[in-house]
Amino acid sequence: MPELQGQCMCGAVTVTATPAKESLGACHCDQCRRWTSSMLITFPAQEGYAALGPVKTFTSSDWAERAFCADCGSALWYRITLPGEMHGHTQMAAGLFDDTDNPLQLELYIDKKPDGYAFAGERRQMTKAEVEAMYALPEEGDSQ
């Protein structure tokens, strides 16, 4: 897959990343909806991605952190911080890039999605319980 070049809204942060899969995912968890005011659309990034500029991170749960531009606030990525197999797994915000050329193939926390919007077409949809089992997340968590 080709390496992608992207940037935040103000251009202060530039990002270089290679998708690990040829697909996009949308997350409807409470935190992603609060962070973006809708859902977060991402792709899994291969190791070795790079970001230059005023990047800030926020520990958003016991198992993850989120990165954003310190100047304009654009979402950059979501990363698993739990020890184990998923540690360091990074979902890069697709909106940083002009076009990933990849289809939307997954929706996470579908049971948390508000009724006011929906994507056309079919794709895999996972509930909160399925996501937490896949990532071996603590059951008491309500979001990423």
Side-chain angles (χ1 to χ4, degrees):
M1 279 172 258
E3 183 177 84
L4 302 174
Q5 305 287 325
Q7 67 179 39
C8 66
M9 184 169 49
C10 72
V13 174
T14 57
V15 180
T16 303
T18 302
K21 295 181 182 177
E22 294 183 352
S23 65
L24 298 175
C27 184
H28 303 285
C29 78
D30 294 338
Q31 288 191 19
C32 282
R33 288 188 296 113
R34 286 186 184 103
W35 195 26
T36 65
S37 191
S38 63
M39 81 297 296
L40 178 64
I41 298 178
T42 63
F43 63 83
Q46 290 183 8
E47 289 185 27
Y49 61 89
L52 298 172
V55 174
K56 293 281 190 178
T57 58
F58 172 70
T59 302
S60 56
S61 69
D62 291 342
W63 60 86
E65 69 180 11
R66 296 166 187 271
F68 58 96
C69 172
D71 290 348
C72 68
S74 292
L76 301 175
W77 63 78
Y78 168 85
R79 181 175 23 233
I80 301 288
T81 56
L82 280 175
E85 183 180 328
M86 295 303 294
H87 181 80
H89 176 83
T90 301
Q91 293 289 329
M92 193 66 59
L96 300 170
F97 307 92
D98 288 339
D99 189 1
T100 64
D101 206 25
N102 294 326
L104 180 65
Q105 293 187 340
L106 175 65
E107 288 183 80
L108 302 173
Y109 291 85
I110 194 65
D111 48 341
K112 304 296 275 178
K113 183 189 78 57
D115 292 335
Y117 62 81
F119 293 110
E122 293 186 26
R123 72 204 45 77
R124 183 176 180 196
Q125 296 180 325
M126 296 177 70
T127 64
K128 174 182 180 251
E130 291 169 320
V131 172
E132 290 175 354
M134 178 178 70
Y135 286 112
L137 299 176
E139 289 186 28
E140 69 275 2
D142 187 32
S143 57
Q144 332 183 359

